[in-house]
Amino acid sequence: MASHGRRSIPEPAGDELDLGFKAAIGFYLGIIVAGLATVAGIVADASMAAILATAPSTVTAVLVLTLIFGDQLRGLPERIGRSRSRRLGCYLPAVAFASMLVVPAFVPLEYSARLTTVTIAFTALTAAVAVGVARMGRNRYVAAVTADEPTATWSWQNARFHDGVWDILTTVGALLLVAGGLVGIYTGGTTGIWFLLYGGFWLFMQWSETNGWFEADGWDGSKRWGASDLRAHEAGIVLDRAYQRKLVPWDAIDDVRLTDDELVVERSRWLDIRCDRSVIDDPEGVLEGIQRARERAEHSRTAVFAD
């Protein structure tokens, strides 16, 4: 399939904010405001009791205000999710909190255990909430630009993660975890139990799939560990997992081809999407559906240029 020219995806009109995103952005903003207020209180040498009493109420107040007036932010999740640079912008407050650790080296400000502890805590907390906000924004953007019916839907089991080299690396890594866990338990460390369980889990998953332990019980290949759904839309190909959606637009795809073992989506940048053919019910039909979606996108692009 030949490569198509670049095609920009129109920015969707934002719908009314759902309660989930309102709560997420409200909590995110509340953490930022509370963090700034807490740092300011420490710098002003306020009592720790007052600081601890103020932070939760600040988060709650900002959250409530966002829930009440959040509709004024209509379209915000779609704008955040539109590009990687905007999603990375969600992490700037965490970077700002982290930078406070080095501020005393350049300004006349005393290091203190309280300032260091609070800064680290709010850096980690803000970054964790930013992950959720960025992911929710991308999910809503993808949903907005892929409201059309998909021309093809198939299960994706990453073929790259099931070749011989990957199997060997996975097995060796799991064995090292098990060995490290046994050593940790022998030396009296409680963390060794977690290494042992984690390594044993991956050994079980690897060997069960390699030896087909579940096939006798009707184990379906499309349900294998790490399987996700892919859909072909006019805007591009959507990777749909239970917790996130990702859109690969057509202008980022050079070619789609079917081999004896894989359905390969060649990307202009990053890694190709390699789908294990054995878990796709109708590989030829899926390829035809992908071609129809891309042709429909090209027709829409031509119509826009004609207008």
Side-chain angles (χ1 to χ4, degrees), residues 77-78 80-82 87 132-146 238-247:
E78 290 83 4
I80 291 175
R82 182 177 174 84
R87 294 193 297 272
V133 171
R135 182 168 293 173
M136 292 175 74
R138 182 168 66 179
N139 290 349
R140 282 152 180 75
Y141 169 74
V142 172
V145 298
T146 58
V238 174
L239 168 61
D240 193 352
R241 292 191 175 102
Y243 56 91
Q244 67 173 336
R245 294 174 181 172
K246 183 177 181 180
L247 174 67

Side-chain angles (χ1 to χ4, degrees), residues 240-261:
D240 193 352
R241 292 191 175 102
Y243 56 91
Q244 67 173 336
R245 294 174 181 172
K246 183 177 181 180
L247 174 67
V248 182
W250 293 117
D251 61 6
I253 297 174
D254 289 336
D255 189 24
V256 181
R257 69 180 189 277
L258 196 61
T259 69
D260 292 338
D261 301 317

Side-chain angles (χ1 to χ4, degrees), residues 35-258:
L36 293 174
T38 300
V39 171
I42 292 175
V43 172
D45 202 21
S47 67
M48 202 62 189
I51 292 173
L52 292 177
T54 303
S57 58
T58 301
V59 175
T60 303
V62 175
L63 176 58
V64 170
L65 288 174
T66 305
L67 291 175
I68 295 174
F69 301 105
D71 289 338
Q72 304 301 319
L73 302 175
R74 183 188 302 254
L76 178 62
E78 290 83 4
R79 290 194 294 272
I80 291 175
R82 182 177 174 84
S83 67
R84 182 178 290 106
S85 59
R86 295 181 183 183
R87 294 193 297 272
L88 289 176
C90 296
Y91 299 95
L92 289 179
V95 174
F97 280 123
S99 66
M100 293 180 185
L101 293 172
V102 298
V103 165
F106 302 96
V107 298
L109 182 66
E110 267 186 55
Y111 281 101
S112 69
R114 289 197 306 169
L115 180 61
T116 302
T117 302
V118 165
T119 300
I120 293 175
F122 275 101
T123 298
L125 188 55
T126 306
V129 179
V131 171
V133 171
R135 182 168 293 173
M136 292 175 74
R138 182 168 66 179
N139 290 349
R140 282 152 180 75
Y141 169 74
V142 172
V145 298
T146 58
D148 57 314
E149 287 294 323
T151 58
T153 302
W154 69 102
S155 180
W156 175 36
Q157 177 68 52
N158 197 334
R160 183 182 295 109
F161 293 164
H162 291 275
D163 56 25
V165 175
W166 180 259
D167 290 344
I168 293 172
L169 291 176
T170 303
T171 302
V172 171
L175 288 173
L176 290 175
L177 286 173
V178 171
L182 291 174
V183 172
I185 294 174
Y186 179 77
T187 56
T190 57
T191 56
I193 299 175
W194 296 107
F195 282 105
L196 179 62
L197 292 175
Y198 191 65
F201 170 76
W202 276 108
L203 280 178
F204 173 75
M205 295 305 303
Q206 178 67 26
W207 289 347
S208 64
E209 187 167 319
T210 301
N211 297 308
W213 291 350
F214 297 108
E215 291 178 0
D217 298 324
W219 180 262
D220 183 1
S222 65
K223 305 297 185 183
R224 290 191 299 178
W225 187 255
S228 305
D229 290 330
L230 287 173
R231 303 194 308 270
H233 290 268
E234 182 178 334
I237 293 179
V238 174
L239 168 61
D240 193 352
R241 292 191 175 102
Y243 56 91
Q244 67 173 336
R245 294 174 181 172
K246 183 177 181 180
L247 174 67
V248 182
W250 293 117
D251 61 6
I253 297 174
D254 289 336
D255 189 24
V256 181
R257 69 180 189 277
L258 196 61

